[in-house]
Protein backbone atom coordinates (compact mmCIF):
# COMPACT_ATOMS: atom_id res chain seq x y z
CA UNK A 1 0.00 0.00 0.00
CA UNK A 2 2.93 2.34 0.43
CA UNK A 3 5.74 3.36 -1.83
CA UNK A 4 8.74 5.56 -1.27
CA UNK A 5 8.33 9.25 -1.86
CA UNK A 6 10.51 10.41 -4.79
CA UNK A 7 13.81 11.83 -3.69
CA UNK A 8 12.82 15.43 -4.12
CA UNK A 9 15.77 16.50 -6.16
CA UNK A 10 13.35 18.49 -8.32
CA UNK A 11 11.66 20.29 -5.43
CA UNK A 12 12.17 24.05 -5.14
CA UNK A 13 13.53 25.02 -1.74
CA UNK A 14 14.14 28.18 0.26
CA UNK A 15 15.13 29.33 3.74
CA UNK A 16 12.88 32.08 5.05
CA UNK A 17 13.22 34.47 8.01
CA UNK A 18 9.68 35.16 9.16
CA UNK A 19 8.07 37.11 11.99
CA UNK A 20 6.73 34.76 14.66
CA UNK A 21 2.99 34.37 14.82
CA UNK A 22 0.31 31.82 14.06
CA UNK A 23 -0.66 33.40 10.75
CA UNK A 24 2.77 33.67 9.12
CA UNK A 25 3.15 30.05 8.03
CA UNK A 26 -0.51 29.87 7.02
CA UNK A 27 0.04 32.86 4.73
CA UNK A 28 3.11 31.23 3.13
CA UNK A 29 1.40 27.90 2.60
CA UNK A 30 -1.72 29.56 1.25
CA UNK A 31 0.29 31.62 -1.21
CA UNK A 32 2.15 28.54 -2.48
CA UNK A 33 -1.17 26.75 -3.01
CA UNK A 34 -2.63 29.76 -4.88
CA UNK A 35 0.29 29.54 -7.29
CA UNK A 36 -0.28 25.82 -7.85
CA UNK A 37 2.64 24.57 -5.77
CA UNK A 38 2.40 21.59 -3.48
CA UNK A 39 4.08 21.90 -0.09
CA UNK A 40 6.44 19.01 0.58
CA UNK A 41 7.95 20.36 3.79
CA UNK A 42 7.74 23.39 6.07
CA UNK A 43 10.04 23.11 9.06
CA UNK A 44 11.03 25.59 11.75
CA UNK A 45 14.78 25.15 11.99
CA UNK A 46 15.71 27.80 14.52
CA UNK A 47 14.51 30.90 16.32
CA UNK A 48 16.31 34.21 15.96
CA UNK A 49 17.04 36.43 18.94
CA UNK A 50 15.49 39.43 17.22
CA UNK A 51 12.97 41.98 18.43
CA UNK A 52 10.24 41.29 17.40
CA UNK A 53 10.95 37.53 17.43
CA UNK A 54 11.61 35.80 14.13
CA UNK A 55 12.18 32.22 13.15
CA UNK A 56 13.90 30.56 10.23
CA UNK A 57 11.87 28.16 8.11
CA UNK A 58 13.01 25.63 5.56
CA UNK A 59 10.41 25.14 2.83
CA UNK A 60 10.30 22.64 -0.04
CA UNK A 61 7.68 22.81 -2.79
CA UNK A 62 6.76 20.60 -5.74
CA UNK A 63 5.27 21.99 -8.92
CA UNK A 64 7.02 25.37 -8.90
CA UNK A 65 10.47 26.35 -10.09
CA UNK A 66 12.76 28.12 -7.63
CA UNK A 67 12.01 31.42 -9.37
CA UNK A 68 8.26 30.81 -9.22
CA UNK A 69 8.52 30.00 -5.51
CA UNK A 70 10.38 33.22 -4.78
CA UNK A 71 7.90 35.20 -6.88
CA UNK A 72 4.95 33.62 -5.08
CA UNK A 73 6.33 34.70 -1.69
CA UNK A 74 7.67 38.04 -2.86
CA UNK A 75 5.44 40.52 -1.04
CA UNK A 76 4.24 38.65 2.04
CA UNK A 77 4.48 41.11 4.93
CA UNK A 78 5.77 38.67 7.57
CA UNK A 79 8.77 37.57 5.49
CA UNK A 80 11.96 39.41 6.47
CA UNK A 81 14.43 37.54 4.26
CA UNK A 82 14.42 34.67 1.80
CA UNK A 83 17.22 32.75 0.15
CA UNK A 84 17.32 29.81 -2.23
CA UNK A 85 18.47 26.50 -0.83
CA UNK A 86 18.51 22.92 -2.11
CA UNK A 87 15.94 20.32 -1.19
CA UNK A 88 17.33 18.11 1.60
CA UNK A 89 16.57 14.95 -0.38
CA UNK A 90 19.01 16.02 -3.08
CA UNK A 91 21.79 16.46 -0.48
CA UNK A 92 21.25 13.80 2.18
CA UNK A 93 19.12 11.36 0.14
CA UNK A 94 17.78 8.10 1.50
CA UNK A 95 18.31 7.37 5.16
CA UNK A 96 19.25 4.14 6.95
CA UNK A 97 18.31 4.54 10.63
CA UNK A 98 20.23 2.60 13.29
CA UNK A 99 18.75 2.30 16.80
CA UNK A 100 19.92 0.32 19.80
CA UNK A 101 22.84 -0.11 22.16
CA UNK A 102 25.86 2.12 21.66
CA UNK A 103 28.44 -0.62 21.09
CA UNK A 104 26.36 -2.31 18.40
CA UNK A 105 25.05 0.91 16.85
CA UNK A 106 28.63 2.06 16.32
CA UNK A 107 29.60 -1.20 14.58
CA UNK A 108 26.51 -1.18 12.36
CA UNK A 109 27.28 2.44 11.48
CA UNK A 110 30.84 1.44 10.54
CA UNK A 111 29.55 -1.08 8.03
CA UNK A 112 26.76 1.15 6.74
CA UNK A 113 28.93 4.26 6.31
CA UNK A 114 31.61 2.27 4.51
CA UNK A 115 29.04 0.77 2.15
CA UNK A 116 27.23 4.11 1.63
CA UNK A 117 30.60 5.61 0.69
CA UNK A 118 30.90 3.13 -2.18
CA UNK A 119 27.41 3.91 -3.49
CA UNK A 120 27.63 7.66 -3.01
CA UNK A 121 30.86 7.60 -5.05
CA UNK A 122 28.71 6.35 -7.91
CA UNK A 123 26.18 9.15 -7.64
CA UNK A 124 23.75 7.96 -4.98
CA UNK A 125 22.90 9.83 -1.81
CA UNK A 126 22.59 7.57 1.21
CA UNK A 127 22.83 8.81 4.82
CA UNK A 128 23.34 6.71 7.95
CA UNK A 129 21.54 8.20 10.94
CA UNK A 130 21.89 6.71 14.40
CA UNK A 131 20.76 7.01 18.00
CA UNK A 132 21.91 4.92 20.95
CA UNK A 133 19.06 4.27 23.40
CA UNK A 134 18.28 2.09 26.38
CA UNK A 135 15.01 0.58 27.55
CA UNK A 136 12.01 -1.08 25.92
CA UNK A 137 9.80 2.03 26.00
CA UNK A 138 12.43 4.35 24.54
CA UNK A 139 13.40 1.95 21.76
CA UNK A 140 9.78 1.14 20.90
CA UNK A 141 9.00 4.87 20.67
CA UNK A 142 11.99 5.39 18.37
CA UNK A 143 10.95 2.49 16.13
CA UNK A 144 7.46 3.99 15.79
CA UNK A 145 8.90 7.45 15.11
CA UNK A 146 10.98 6.15 12.19
CA UNK A 147 7.65 6.11 10.32
CA UNK A 148 7.55 9.92 10.75
CA UNK A 149 11.12 10.61 9.59
CA UNK A 150 11.39 12.07 6.10
CA UNK A 151 13.37 9.87 3.69
CA UNK A 152 13.81 6.98 6.15
CA UNK A 153 14.05 3.83 4.03
CA UNK A 154 15.25 1.07 6.38
CA UNK A 155 15.77 0.51 10.11
CA UNK A 156 18.52 -1.56 11.71
CA UNK A 157 17.89 -2.71 15.28
CA UNK A 158 21.29 -3.15 16.90
CA UNK A 159 21.33 -4.63 20.38
CA UNK A 160 21.57 -7.75 22.50
CA UNK A 161 18.00 -8.14 23.76
CA UNK A 162 14.80 -6.70 22.34
CA UNK A 163 11.18 -7.81 22.43
CA UNK A 164 7.83 -6.92 23.99
CA UNK A 165 6.54 -3.60 22.74
CA UNK A 166 9.58 -3.19 20.48
CA UNK A 167 8.28 -6.16 18.49
CA UNK A 168 4.82 -4.54 18.29
CA UNK A 169 6.41 -1.31 17.07
CA UNK A 170 8.43 -3.27 14.49
CA UNK A 171 5.23 -4.79 13.08
CA UNK A 172 3.69 -1.30 12.83
CA UNK A 173 6.74 0.13 11.08
CA UNK A 174 6.89 -2.68 8.52
CA UNK A 175 3.16 -2.14 7.87
CA UNK A 176 3.89 1.37 6.57
CA UNK A 177 6.50 -0.05 4.21
CA UNK A 178 9.80 0.40 6.05
CA UNK A 179 11.77 -2.87 6.29
CA UNK A 180 13.86 -3.83 9.34
CA UNK A 181 17.12 -5.70 9.74
CA UNK A 182 17.97 -6.89 13.27
CA UNK A 183 21.13 -8.27 14.73
CA UNK A 184 20.83 -11.85 15.97
CA UNK A 185 19.89 -11.35 19.62
CA UNK A 186 17.85 -12.48 22.62
CA UNK A 187 14.12 -11.79 22.56
CA UNK A 188 11.16 -11.94 20.20
CA UNK A 189 12.35 -9.15 17.88
CA UNK A 190 14.06 -11.57 15.50
CA UNK A 191 10.60 -13.00 14.66
CA UNK A 192 9.31 -9.53 13.71
CA UNK A 193 11.88 -8.29 11.20
CA UNK A 194 12.74 -8.90 7.55
CA UNK A 195 16.25 -10.21 8.04
CA UNK A 196 18.49 -11.26 10.94
CA UNK A 197 22.27 -10.77 10.65
CA UNK A 198 24.78 -11.80 13.32
CA UNK A 199 27.70 -9.56 12.36
CA UNK A 200 26.91 -5.86 12.94
CA UNK A 201 29.29 -4.62 10.23
CA UNK A 202 27.63 -6.93 7.72
CA UNK A 203 24.18 -5.86 8.96
CA UNK A 204 25.07 -2.23 8.21
CA UNK A 205 26.48 -3.18 4.83
CA UNK A 206 23.38 -5.17 3.86
CA UNK A 207 21.11 -2.34 5.04
CA UNK A 208 22.71 0.07 2.58
CA UNK A 209 22.79 -2.52 -0.19
CA UNK A 210 19.06 -3.09 0.32
CA UNK A 211 18.17 0.54 -0.43
CA UNK A 212 20.88 1.35 -2.99
CA UNK A 213 19.84 1.58 -6.61
CA UNK A 214 23.42 0.69 -7.52
CA UNK A 215 23.33 -2.66 -5.68
CA UNK A 216 21.74 -5.95 -6.70
CA UNK A 217 20.68 -7.03 -3.20
CA UNK A 218 16.94 -7.79 -2.97
CA UNK A 219 15.69 -7.76 0.61
CA UNK A 220 12.37 -9.29 -0.41
CA UNK A 221 14.17 -12.43 -1.62
CA UNK A 222 16.02 -12.65 1.72
CA UNK A 223 12.96 -12.13 3.91
CA UNK A 224 12.94 -14.32 6.98
CA UNK A 225 16.49 -15.57 6.57
CA UNK A 226 19.30 -15.45 9.13
CA UNK A 227 22.97 -14.90 8.51
CA UNK B 1 21.88 36.45 16.70
CA UNK B 2 20.67 32.86 16.71
CA UNK B 3 19.76 30.48 19.44
CA UNK B 4 18.74 26.84 19.38
CA UNK B 5 15.08 26.07 18.96
CA UNK B 6 13.70 24.38 22.09
CA UNK B 7 13.65 20.60 21.82
CA UNK B 8 10.00 20.35 21.05
CA UNK B 9 9.13 17.74 23.63
CA UNK B 10 6.00 19.76 24.38
CA UNK B 11 4.83 20.00 20.77
CA UNK B 12 1.65 18.16 19.79
CA UNK B 13 2.23 15.81 16.87
CA UNK B 14 0.15 13.69 14.50
CA UNK B 15 0.48 11.60 11.37
CA UNK B 16 -2.19 12.37 8.80
CA UNK B 17 -3.32 10.55 5.65
CA UNK B 18 -4.53 13.27 3.30
CA UNK B 19 -5.83 13.41 -0.27
CA UNK B 20 -3.20 14.83 -2.62
CA UNK B 21 -3.80 18.33 -3.86
CA UNK B 22 -2.44 21.83 -3.45
CA UNK B 23 -5.20 22.90 -1.07
CA UNK B 24 -5.04 20.08 1.45
CA UNK B 25 -2.00 21.24 3.41
CA UNK B 26 -3.13 24.87 3.21
CA UNK B 27 -6.43 23.85 4.81
CA UNK B 28 -4.66 21.99 7.62
CA UNK B 29 -2.24 24.83 8.34
CA UNK B 30 -5.03 27.40 8.20
CA UNK B 31 -7.15 25.42 10.63
CA UNK B 32 -4.26 25.09 13.10
CA UNK B 33 -3.70 28.86 12.94
CA UNK B 34 -7.41 29.56 13.50
CA UNK B 35 -7.21 27.53 16.71
CA UNK B 36 -4.16 29.48 17.88
CA UNK B 37 -1.59 26.78 17.20
CA UNK B 38 1.80 27.52 15.69
CA UNK B 39 3.05 25.10 13.04
CA UNK B 40 6.51 23.83 13.85
CA UNK B 41 6.73 21.23 11.06
CA UNK B 42 4.66 19.84 8.23
CA UNK B 43 6.49 17.15 6.26
CA UNK B 44 5.35 14.79 3.54
CA UNK B 45 6.83 11.47 4.62
CA UNK B 46 5.47 9.11 1.97
CA UNK B 47 2.93 8.72 -0.76
CA UNK B 48 0.28 6.02 -0.59
CA UNK B 49 -0.58 3.90 -3.62
CA UNK B 50 -4.29 4.64 -3.22
CA UNK B 51 -6.89 5.77 -5.75
CA UNK B 52 -7.31 8.74 -5.51
CA UNK B 53 -3.69 9.39 -4.44
CA UNK B 54 -3.00 10.15 -0.78
CA UNK B 55 0.09 11.11 1.10
CA UNK B 56 1.12 10.79 4.72
CA UNK B 57 2.08 13.95 6.56
CA UNK B 58 3.85 14.40 9.86
CA UNK B 59 2.74 17.56 11.64
CA UNK B 60 4.06 19.19 14.81
CA UNK B 61 2.33 22.14 16.47
CA UNK B 62 3.15 24.42 19.40
CA UNK B 63 0.47 26.02 21.52
CA UNK B 64 -2.13 23.25 21.28
CA UNK B 65 -2.48 20.04 23.25
CA UNK B 66 -2.69 16.78 21.31
CA UNK B 67 -6.44 16.71 21.94
CA UNK B 68 -6.84 20.30 20.73
CA UNK B 69 -4.85 19.50 17.58
CA UNK B 70 -7.05 16.51 16.77
CA UNK B 71 -10.19 18.56 17.46
CA UNK B 72 -8.96 21.37 15.22
CA UNK B 73 -8.50 18.97 12.30
CA UNK B 74 -11.55 16.87 13.05
CA UNK B 75 -13.83 17.59 10.09
CA UNK B 76 -11.45 18.63 7.31
CA UNK B 77 -12.70 16.89 4.15
CA UNK B 78 -9.28 15.96 2.70
CA UNK B 79 -8.14 14.11 5.83
CA UNK B 80 -8.65 10.35 5.52
CA UNK B 81 -7.00 9.25 8.75
CA UNK B 82 -5.17 10.82 11.68
CA UNK B 83 -3.21 9.33 14.54
CA UNK B 84 -1.28 10.81 17.42
CA UNK B 85 2.48 10.59 17.28
CA UNK B 86 5.33 12.08 19.29
CA UNK B 87 7.31 15.12 18.22
CA UNK B 88 10.57 13.99 16.61
CA UNK B 89 12.61 16.23 18.91
CA UNK B 90 11.42 14.26 21.92
CA UNK B 91 12.59 10.98 20.33
CA UNK B 92 15.71 11.79 18.31
CA UNK B 93 16.72 15.03 20.06
CA UNK B 94 19.76 17.08 19.13
CA UNK B 95 21.74 16.01 16.10
CA UNK B 96 25.49 15.88 15.50
CA UNK B 97 26.06 15.76 11.73
CA UNK B 98 29.19 14.08 10.35
CA UNK B 99 30.19 14.71 6.71
CA UNK B 100 33.28 13.64 4.80
CA UNK B 101 35.19 10.59 3.66
CA UNK B 102 33.82 7.17 4.57
CA UNK B 103 36.81 5.93 6.56
CA UNK B 104 36.93 9.03 8.74
CA UNK B 105 33.16 9.46 9.02
CA UNK B 106 32.91 5.91 10.38
CA UNK B 107 35.56 6.59 13.04
CA UNK B 108 34.01 9.90 14.09
CA UNK B 109 30.64 8.13 14.31
CA UNK B 110 32.21 5.46 16.54
CA UNK B 111 33.33 8.11 19.01
CA UNK B 112 30.15 10.14 18.79
CA UNK B 113 27.76 7.19 19.17
CA UNK B 114 29.71 5.87 22.15
CA UNK B 115 29.62 9.27 23.83
CA UNK B 116 25.94 9.86 22.96
CA UNK B 117 25.16 6.50 24.56
CA UNK B 118 26.58 7.75 27.86
CA UNK B 119 24.53 10.95 27.76
CA UNK B 120 21.32 9.33 26.51
CA UNK B 121 21.58 6.90 29.46
CA UNK B 122 21.24 9.95 31.68
CA UNK B 123 18.10 11.21 29.98
CA UNK B 124 19.39 13.21 27.02
CA UNK B 125 18.48 12.59 23.42
CA UNK B 126 21.44 12.97 21.07
CA UNK B 127 21.53 11.50 17.55
CA UNK B 128 24.58 11.04 15.31
CA UNK B 129 23.71 11.47 11.64
CA UNK B 130 26.26 10.87 8.91
CA UNK B 131 26.84 10.97 5.18
CA UNK B 132 30.00 9.96 3.31
CA UNK B 133 30.61 12.21 0.31
CA UNK B 134 33.33 12.98 -2.19
CA UNK B 135 34.21 16.22 -3.96
CA UNK B 136 34.38 19.89 -3.05
CA UNK B 137 31.00 20.81 -4.54
CA UNK B 138 29.13 17.94 -2.89
CA UNK B 139 30.68 18.53 0.52
CA UNK B 140 30.17 22.31 0.34
CA UNK B 141 26.49 21.78 -0.55
CA UNK B 142 26.10 19.40 2.39
CA UNK B 143 27.74 21.89 4.79
CA UNK B 144 25.33 24.61 3.64
CA UNK B 145 22.35 22.25 3.94
CA UNK B 146 23.15 21.49 7.58
CA UNK B 147 21.69 24.96 8.24
CA UNK B 148 18.34 23.63 6.95
CA UNK B 149 18.29 20.41 8.99
CA UNK B 150 15.92 20.46 11.95
CA UNK B 151 17.68 19.98 15.30
CA UNK B 152 21.21 20.03 13.84
CA UNK B 153 23.47 21.39 16.60
CA UNK B 154 27.03 20.73 15.44
CA UNK B 155 28.88 19.59 12.31
CA UNK B 156 32.00 17.44 12.20
CA UNK B 157 34.03 17.58 8.98
CA UNK B 158 35.86 14.28 8.69
CA UNK B 159 38.34 13.95 5.85
CA UNK B 160 41.90 14.31 4.69
CA UNK B 161 41.70 17.40 2.48
CA UNK B 162 39.08 20.15 2.42
CA UNK B 163 39.16 23.80 1.44
CA UNK B 164 37.96 26.16 -1.27
CA UNK B 165 34.21 26.49 -1.31
CA UNK B 166 33.92 24.10 1.64
CA UNK B 167 35.64 26.78 3.74
CA UNK B 168 33.17 29.40 2.46
CA UNK B 169 30.28 27.12 3.36
CA UNK B 170 31.78 26.56 6.81
CA UNK B 171 31.84 30.31 7.43
CA UNK B 172 28.18 30.57 6.37
CA UNK B 173 27.13 27.70 8.62
CA UNK B 174 28.89 29.12 11.66
CA UNK B 175 27.22 32.47 10.95
CA UNK B 176 23.81 30.90 11.58
CA UNK B 177 25.02 29.57 14.91
CA UNK B 178 26.09 25.98 14.17
CA UNK B 179 29.67 25.26 15.33
CA UNK B 180 32.07 23.02 13.41
CA UNK B 181 34.77 20.61 14.52
CA UNK B 182 37.20 19.43 11.82
CA UNK B 183 39.77 16.70 11.80
CA UNK B 184 43.33 17.92 11.39
CA UNK B 185 43.80 17.77 7.61
CA UNK B 186 45.24 19.32 4.48
CA UNK B 187 43.60 22.48 3.19
CA UNK B 188 42.20 25.77 4.42
CA UNK B 189 39.25 24.25 6.29
CA UNK B 190 41.13 24.09 9.59
CA UNK B 191 41.24 27.93 9.58
CA UNK B 192 37.44 28.12 9.24
CA UNK B 193 36.20 25.93 12.09
CA UNK B 194 35.82 26.20 15.86
CA UNK B 195 38.08 23.34 16.84
CA UNK B 196 40.57 21.01 15.14
CA UNK B 197 41.04 17.48 16.49
CA UNK B 198 43.51 14.94 15.09
CA UNK B 199 41.94 11.72 16.39
CA UNK B 200 38.55 11.02 14.75
CA UNK B 201 37.18 9.06 17.72
CA UNK B 202 38.03 11.95 20.02
CA UNK B 203 36.55 14.43 17.54
CA UNK B 204 33.24 12.52 17.67
CA UNK B 205 33.39 12.35 21.45
CA UNK B 206 34.08 16.08 21.80
CA UNK B 207 31.27 16.89 19.34
CA UNK B 208 28.73 15.16 21.55
CA UNK B 209 30.20 16.64 24.73
CA UNK B 210 29.89 20.10 23.19
CA UNK B 211 26.11 19.82 22.77
CA UNK B 212 25.27 17.65 25.79
CA UNK B 213 23.62 19.34 28.75
CA UNK B 214 25.11 16.61 30.95
CA UNK B 215 28.71 17.45 29.98
CA UNK B 216 30.95 20.27 31.16
CA UNK B 217 32.76 20.81 27.87
CA UNK B 218 32.54 24.41 26.63
CA UNK B 219 33.33 24.71 22.94
CA UNK B 220 33.50 28.50 23.17
CA UNK B 221 36.44 28.24 25.57
CA UNK B 222 38.21 25.87 23.16
CA UNK B 223 37.61 27.96 20.05
CA UNK B 224 40.60 28.04 17.71
CA UNK B 225 42.54 25.34 19.53
CA UNK B 226 44.01 22.17 18.05
CA UNK B 227 44.29 18.75 19.66
Amino acid sequence: MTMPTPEASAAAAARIDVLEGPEAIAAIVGRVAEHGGRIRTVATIRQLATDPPQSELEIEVDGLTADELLDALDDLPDIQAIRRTRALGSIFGKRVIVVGGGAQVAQVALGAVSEADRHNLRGERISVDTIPLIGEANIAAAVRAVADLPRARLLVLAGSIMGGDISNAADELRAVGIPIIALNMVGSITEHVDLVVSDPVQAGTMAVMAIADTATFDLIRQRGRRY
Side-chain angles (χ1 to χ4, degrees), chain A:
Chain A
M1 278 295 284
T2 60
M3 57 185 180
T5 303
E7 288 315 325
S9 47
R15 187 155 77 235
I16 304 173
D17 293 357
V18 66
L19 293 174
E20 291 252 1
E23 297 296 340
I25 292 180
I28 291 169
V29 172
R31 187 66 72 85
V32 169
E34 281 170 31
H35 283 70
R38 193 187 167 290
I39 296 284
R40 184 195 295 272
T41 304
V42 179
T44 305
I45 44 176
R46 67 186 68 81
Q47 292 167 335
L48 305 178
T50 50
D51 182 21
Q54 297 177 33
S55 44
E56 281 190 10
L57 307 179
E58 199 259 338
I59 181 170
E60 297 185 12
V61 172
D62 286 325
L64 297 179
T65 65
D67 286 339
E68 288 169 343
L69 174 60
L70 266 57
D71 284 348
L73 302 179
D74 189 34
D75 59 344
L76 279 177
D78 289 338
I79 293 182
Q80 305 297 298
I82 183 165
R83 58 174 288 173
R84 284 174 199 230
T85 56
R86 287 178 55 181
L88 292 173
S90 71
I91 304 286
F92 297 108
K94 297 180 268 199
R95 300 165 75 182
V96 170
I97 313 296
V98 188
V99 173
Q104 286 101 339
V105 168
Q107 293 306 306
V108 171
L110 173 64
V113 168
S114 299
E115 183 68 13
D117 202 27
R118 304 171 77 218
H119 294 282
N120 291 350
L121 276 165
R122 289 180 279 173
E124 294 219 38
R125 282 289 182 280
I126 298 173
S127 294
V128 180
D129 294 352
T130 73
I131 186 166
L133 288 172
I134 191 165
E136 180 181 340
N138 288 333
I139 295 173
V143 171
R144 290 191 171 95
V146 170
D148 303 326
L149 283 176
R151 301 174 281 107
R153 288 288 177 277
L154 192 144
L155 171 65
V156 182
L157 287 171
S160 298
I161 173 169
M162 293 189 194
D165 195 39
I166 301 172
S167 296
N168 299 333
D171 291 340
E172 294 171 31
L173 184 64
R174 294 172 69 205
V176 302
I178 299 180
I180 304 176
I181 295 175
L183 300 188
N184 195 8
M185 69 175 95
V186 177
S188 66
I189 190 65
T190 54
E191 303 299 325
H192 296 262
V193 299
D194 294 273
L195 183 64
V196 177
V197 179
S198 299
D199 169 32
V201 176
Q202 187 178 67
T205 305
M206 286 186 176
V208 171
M209 290 166 66
I211 66 166
D213 296 327
T214 44
T216 54
F217 182 87
D218 186 348
L219 188 61
I220 293 171
R221 292 181 60 181
Q222 299 295 326
R223 189 159 284 159
R225 301 187 72 164
R226 290 173 179 245
Y227 290 94

